[in-house]
């Protein structure tokens, strides 16, 4: 019994096979071989007799029933394209010899459903392109009934699969996902633009989740059609539909398609482990934060990331991303590492090249940690609220102003909602939002995605159109004490707010003015906001709280002020909104201690948590939720 348990643990911990082994497509001697035949069937849909190829496995017997895979070709091929370019019978024979595949019948039809179905002349002619869509009727009404009458097959959806390359990949997704009562296993290899948009392809995500066994989407990383696969994958991810998204080195060719066929065929007609779906892909997609045309860093489907840097003369390189990863150099001087799975959204990182922290030249840089650093954006299923959508878009501008407090020119970023420059008689409420330590006025505009969050909220009617002012909260003094906080309070009251209200169409009633900030900006909000509830009716404090014991004197002074002005504070503030990134947020304990004091005094506030620690993904979500409460 102990031996069995240990053996099971070892088997379960083994890595899955992520690509076809060497020689998978080379005929072997000494193994049983299947058979390829050409057969004809009468197609009432097309009005002619049509041909297809049939693979029957080694030991085929009419006394046994088999599952069926329908395997489709591309726009320039016919029923023989797979045979000529991919020799699928060799792949199947080798898989069966290794006991990696279930015995099955494989049907390779002509997917161009027209009387003259040869790939001659202009293969892109409208009637020939239309014939690929028309094949759905021929497949369902003529070919499948013919196969199920002539061959000993299992006649249910759980034992029927469809897959194809390029145009056939698009057909497979269209026909397979459009006919879930027929197919439980669907594979698109390098699917072409004939693939329906995801919203049409999957009108009912719930039905797909319940019925699909394996949905396989694969493509080569150098294939110009990869965007078709990517958009389908993105939609599936956002709707939490299990699927395998498999990216491999290569272009639009049979090297890619043969490997995809090998990987897909292994999974068919047997129990599958959905938990492993995200483990298959060889490569990921370039991170959204990469500079133009940079392939790395890449995000894998399981949210791990691959980093590469070309530095042949370096002695040691580490990736500094939450923790330090040692990178490994290959024979060409390229260093690489694959990280653990990364949490959602935005992360700062650096390359440590022989001990020197530098920005990755392949990634966009952001001002954070007190310097320019690289950043990587990790997509996740819940990031739709800051996606670029077809909605009216506002704009972010940079505005210089002269500070009478600091006696210097400074600047802020300002978001103006869609229609601001058109609707010249409308006055807008204003949210003043502050960045954290080591950042500046660029933080909310770039890392925070403020414009996209507000665009989408306003378009959905979830937030009032508003101006958002993102000032520089840095004060050039030693330390971060009351003098620093008082100086920024004066800057806000004497320079920034007057300038904004003079130069922009602002409704300057207190009920139309909000102040919020993260971390250091949260402390500035506490100080300036609580002291000026006649100016601000809404306060948002993200991942912050008086730092104890270092700021105990500051905190005690504010608590004393709050006790004396409790009725005014509770009466003036329509929202006093505190948010944390869960217990892993470095400000969590400070915030809990502060809220205990608020409770003791009777201060009215709202508290919420969003997991993620002291990071931009948390603060983006804070803005998304806080903005919906404002000016209503």
């Amino acid at each position: 019994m102990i031996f069995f348990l240990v053996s099971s643990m070892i088997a379960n911990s083994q890595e899955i096979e992520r690509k076809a082994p060497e020689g998978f497509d080379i005929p072997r001697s000494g193994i049983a071989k299947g058979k390829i035949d050409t057969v004809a069937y009468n197609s009432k849909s097309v009005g002619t007799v049509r041909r297809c190829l049939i693979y029957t496995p080694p030991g085929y017997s009419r006394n046994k029933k088999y599952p069926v895979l329908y395997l489709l070709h591309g726009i320039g091929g016919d029923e023989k394209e797979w045979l000529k370019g991919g020799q699928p019978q060799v792949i199947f024979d080798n898989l069966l010899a290794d006991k990696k595949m279930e015995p099955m019948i494989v049907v390779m039809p002509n997917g161009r459903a027209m009387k003259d179905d040869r790939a001659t002349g202009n293969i892109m002619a409208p009637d020939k392109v239309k014939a690929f869509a028309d094949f759905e009727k021929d497949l369902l009404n003529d070919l499948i009934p013919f196969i199920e009458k002539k061959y000993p097959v299992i006649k249910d959806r759980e034992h029927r699969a469809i897959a194809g390359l390029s145009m056939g990949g698009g057909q497979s997704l269209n026909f397979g996902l459009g006919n879930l009562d027929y197919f439980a296993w669907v594979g698109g290899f390098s699917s072409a633009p004939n693939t329906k948009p995801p919203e049409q392809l999957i009108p009912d995500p719930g039905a797909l989740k319940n019925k699909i066994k394996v949905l396989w989407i694969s493509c080569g990383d150098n294939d110009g059609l990869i965007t078709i696969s990517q958009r389908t994958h993105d939609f599936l991810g956002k709707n939490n539909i299990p699927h395998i998204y498999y990216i491999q080195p290569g272009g639009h060719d049979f090297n890619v398609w043969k490997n995809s066929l090998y990987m897909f065929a292994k999974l068919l007609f047997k129990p599958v482990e959905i938990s492993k779906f995200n483990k298959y892909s060889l490569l990921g997609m370039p991170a959204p934060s990469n500079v133009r045309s940079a392939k790395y860093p890449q995000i894998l489907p399981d949210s791990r990331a691959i980093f590469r840097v070309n530095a042949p003369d370096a002695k040691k390189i580490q990736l500094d991303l939450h923790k330090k990863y040692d990178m490994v150099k290959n024979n060409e001087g390229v260093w690489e590492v694959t990280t653990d799975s990364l949490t959602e959204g935005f992360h700062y990182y650096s390359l440590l090249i022989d001990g020197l922290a530098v920005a990755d030249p392949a990634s966009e840089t952001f001002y954070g940690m007190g310097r320019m650093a690289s950043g990587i954006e990790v997509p996740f299923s819940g990031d739709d609220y800051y996606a670029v959508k077809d909605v009216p878009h506002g704009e972010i501008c940079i505005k210089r102003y002269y500070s009478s407090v600091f006696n210097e020119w400074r600047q802020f970023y300002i978001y103006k909602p869609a229609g601001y420059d058109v609707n010249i008689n409308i006055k807008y409420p204003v949210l003043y939002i502050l960045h954290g330590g080591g950042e500046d006025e660029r933080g909310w505009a770039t890392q925070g995605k403020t414009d996209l969050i507000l665009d989408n909220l306003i378009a959905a009617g979830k937030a009032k159109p508003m101006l958002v002012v993102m000032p520089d909260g840095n004060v050039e003094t030693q330390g971060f004490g009351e003098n620093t906080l008082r100086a920024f309070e004066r800057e806000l009251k004497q320079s920034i707010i007057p300038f904004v209200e003079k130069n922009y169409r602002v409704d300057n009633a207190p009920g139309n003015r909000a102040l919020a900030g993260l971390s250091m900006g949260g402390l500035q909000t506490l100080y300036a906001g609580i002291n000026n509830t006649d100016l601000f009716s809404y306060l948002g404090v993200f991942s912050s709280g008086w730092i104890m014991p270092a700021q105990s004197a500051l905190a005690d002074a504010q608590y004393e002020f709050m006790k004396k002005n409790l009725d005014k504070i509770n009466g003036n503030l329509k929202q006093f909104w505190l948010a944390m990134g869960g217990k892993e947020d470095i400000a969590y304990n400070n915030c809990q201690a502060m809220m205990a004091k608020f409770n003791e005094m009777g201060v009215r506030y709202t508290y919420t948590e969003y997991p993620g620690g002291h990071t931009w993904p948390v603060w983006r979500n804070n803005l998304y939720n806080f903005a919906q409460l404002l000016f209503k």
Side-chain angles (χ1 to χ4, degrees):
M1 183 65 175
I2 293 175
F3 173 77
F4 172 77
L5 289 173
V6 172
S7 299
S8 297
M9 288 171 65
I10 292 173
N12 289 335
S13 66
Q14 288 178 343
E15 290 248 343
I16 60 173
E17 187 176 37
R18 298 175 64 227
K19 66 177 179 178
E22 199 73 31
F24 78 102
D25 55 349
I26 297 174
R28 293 189 211 168
S29 59
I31 65 169
K33 305 290 177 67
K35 185 180 179 182
I36 292 269
D37 290 308
T38 299
V39 300
Y41 67 97
N42 182 44
S43 172
K44 294 180 181 178
S45 304
V46 180
T48 189
V49 173
R50 309 197 71 220
R51 289 175 294 179
C52 63
L53 300 188
I54 307 288
Y55 168 83
T56 49
Y60 170 74
S61 169
R62 295 198 62 84
N63 295 322
K64 178 182 176 182
K65 289 187 179 292
Y66 297 87
V68 184
L69 165 63
Y70 292 85
L71 188 60
L72 311 183
H73 60 82
I75 195 169
D78 56 25
E79 71 274 9
K80 295 182 179 179
E81 182 177 21
W82 270 104
L83 182 66
K84 294 175 181 176
Q87 291 192 292
Q89 78 280 11
V90 174
I91 297 172
F92 298 145
D93 289 345
N94 292 341
L95 278 168
L96 288 165
D98 293 336
K99 296 183 171 18
K100 291 181 178 179
M101 176 178 124
E102 294 295 304
M104 66 183 75
I105 292 171
V106 182
V107 181
M108 290 167 273
N110 187 314
R112 191 181 292 102
M114 58 193 305
K115 290 184 178 179
D116 180 7
D117 60 9
R118 297 302 92 191
T120 56
N122 179 11
I123 60 172
M124 301 294 292
D127 61 330
K128 294 188 176 182
V129 172
K130 180 177 180 297
F132 279 91
D134 292 342
F135 178 64
E136 180 176 12
K137 186 176 180 181
D138 178 54
L139 172 68
L140 301 180
N141 297 339
D142 298 309
L143 180 56
I144 290 176
F146 168 78
I147 295 297
E148 295 185 348
K149 181 177 181 181
K150 183 175 176 64
Y151 294 89
V153 302
I154 307 172
K155 302 176 183 179
D156 61 41
R157 61 180 299 278
E158 286 79 11
H159 293 89
R160 199 181 292 125
I162 186 169
L165 66 88
S166 193
M167 195 75 160
Q171 287 177 304
S172 297
L173 295 178
N174 293 344
F175 305 162
L177 300 182
N179 296 279
L180 292 172
D181 290 337
Y182 280 81
F183 301 101
W185 314 80
V186 179
F189 312 157
S190 308
S191 300
N194 65 317
T195 309
K196 292 178 180 178
E199 295 78 10
Q200 296 178 27
L201 195 62
I202 309 159
D204 185 351
L208 180 58
K209 280 185 198 179
N210 292 332
K211 290 190 172 184
I212 199 75
K213 296 289 188 182
V214 168
L215 174 52
W216 172 280
I217 298 170
S218 61
C219 201
D221 67 331
N222 284 319
D223 192 329
L225 297 182
I226 196 169
T227 54
I228 305 298
S229 296
Q230 178 69 30
R231 76 182 186 188
T232 306
H233 161 67
D234 289 344
F235 182 87
L236 293 166
K238 290 184 188 305
N239 286 277
N240 298 311
I241 298 171
H243 65 288
I244 295 173
Y245 187 46
Y246 185 87
I247 305 300
Q248 58 186 308
H252 200 72
D253 56 57
F254 264 103
N255 289 327
V256 168
W257 302 327
K258 286 192 293 183
N259 183 64
S260 293
L261 178 60
Y262 173 92
M263 295 295 297
F264 182 65
K266 285 194 313 155
L267 299 170
L268 296 179
F269 313 123
K270 60 178 73 170
V272 294
E273 294 183 63
I274 292 175
S275 63
K276 292 186 176 180
F277 279 11
N278 284 337
K279 305 295 183 184
Y280 284 94
S281 189
L282 295 173
L283 299 175
M285 291 299 296
S289 44
N290 290 4
V291 298
R292 189 182 302 275
S293 301
K295 284 192 172 183
Y296 292 86
Q298 290 185 351
I299 308 293
L300 289 162
D302 62 356
S303 296
R304 291 178 301 145
I306 305 172
F307 289 80
R308 284 185 182 177
V309 59
N310 189 356
D313 297 328
K315 301 296 186 293
K316 180 180 180 179
I317 300 183
Q318 291 180 303
L319 170 70
D320 189 357
L321 176 63
H322 304 308
K323 73 175 190 178
K324 292 183 174 64
Y325 296 87
D326 291 326
M327 302 185 76
V328 178
K329 183 168 70 170
N330 65 17
N331 294 332
E332 297 176 346
V334 176
W335 299 74
E336 181 175 318
V337 71
T338 301
T339 69
D340 304 325
S341 288
L342 302 177
T343 54
E344 65 185 55
F346 180 86
H347 303 271
Y348 292 116
Y349 75 94
S350 298
L351 299 174
L352 302 177
I353 300 181
D354 294 332
L356 177 66
V358 298
D360 184 350
S363 175
E364 294 285 355
T365 53
F366 305 85
Y367 185 72
M369 303 184 291
R371 60 180 174 82
M372 296 306 293
S374 298
I376 184 169
E377 188 75 41
V378 181
F380 70 106
S381 60
D383 63 7
D384 185 66
Y385 68 91
Y386 56 77
V388 180
K389 300 180 182 179
D390 185 13
V391 299
H393 288 282
E395 61 178 331
I396 287 183
C397 305
I398 302 173
K399 191 68 175 177
R400 297 189 186 277
Y401 70 97
Y402 188 79
S403 167
S404 59
V405 174
F406 298 122
N407 297 315
E408 64 181 9
W409 285 96
R410 291 168 73 91
Q411 66 181 27
F412 57 75
Y413 281 54
I414 183 168
Y415 166 81
K416 297 187 295 183
Y420 175 86
D421 293 321
V422 176
N423 303 318
I424 59 174
N425 295 319
I426 296 178
K427 292 185 176 183
Y428 293 84
V430 186
L431 165 62
Y432 296 85
I433 194 163
L434 312 176
H435 58 81
E439 296 167 339
D440 63 13
E441 67 275 15
R442 290 169 283 188
W444 276 108
T446 52
Q447 293 96 301
K449 296 187 179 289
T450 293
D451 58 330
L452 294 175
I453 293 171
L454 267 296
D455 285 343
N456 293 336
L457 283 174
I458 294 169
K462 293 181 178 180
K464 297 268 288 185
M466 68 183 78
L467 296 168
V468 182
V469 176
M470 296 158 268
D472 181 2
N474 292 299
V475 177
E476 302 300 326
T477 60
Q478 293 294 320
F480 186 74
E482 186 166 12
N483 288 338
T484 304
L485 291 165
R486 187 182 295 117
F488 183 72
E489 179 189 16
R490 289 173 55 225
E491 173 71 358
L492 193 61
K493 293 171 64 177
Q494 297 177 26
S495 297
I496 296 172
I497 293 176
F499 183 89
V500 169
E501 296 187 351
K502 179 180 179 182
N503 290 276
Y504 295 90
R505 294 195 314 280
V506 170
D507 186 336
N508 58 11
N512 288 304
R513 203 181 287 121
L515 179 65
L518 68 91
S519 194
M520 180 187 82
L523 294 177
Q524 291 171 321
T525 298
L526 283 169
Y527 190 87
I530 293 295
N531 290 344
N532 296 277
T533 57
D534 53 337
L535 280 177
F536 304 103
S537 295
Y538 302 86
L539 300 181
V541 179
F542 312 157
S543 293
S544 198
W546 295 114
I547 303 169
M548 306 302 285
Q551 293 180 330
S552 58
L554 253 173
D556 289 343
Q558 182 166 81
Y559 298 149
E560 190 61 31
F561 174 84
M562 294 176 78
K563 285 179 186 177
K564 293 178 180 178
N565 295 274
L566 183 62
D567 291 342
K568 178 182 177 183
I569 292 168
N570 282 341
N572 287 349
L573 290 182
K574 296 180 180 179
Q575 281 288 342
F576 186 16
W577 200 79
L578 310 180
M580 294 300 301
K583 291 185 178 179
E584 64 269 35
D585 195 320
I586 59 174
Y588 182 82
N589 290 334
N590 292 327
C591 185
Q592 297 303 308
M594 183 177 70
M595 288 193 299
K597 286 287 189 180
F598 289 171
N599 293 337
E600 181 183 312
M601 291 185 286
V603 176
R604 287 201 296 266
Y605 65 90
T606 300
Y607 177 72
T608 184
E609 290 185 11
Y610 183 83
H614 206 73
T615 61
W616 272 108
V618 170
W619 305 324
R620 289 174 179 174
N621 186 269
N622 292 162
L623 174 59
Y624 170 75
N625 285 291
F626 184 62
Q628 297 183 57
L629 305 175
L630 300 179
F631 316 125
K632 296 181 177 179

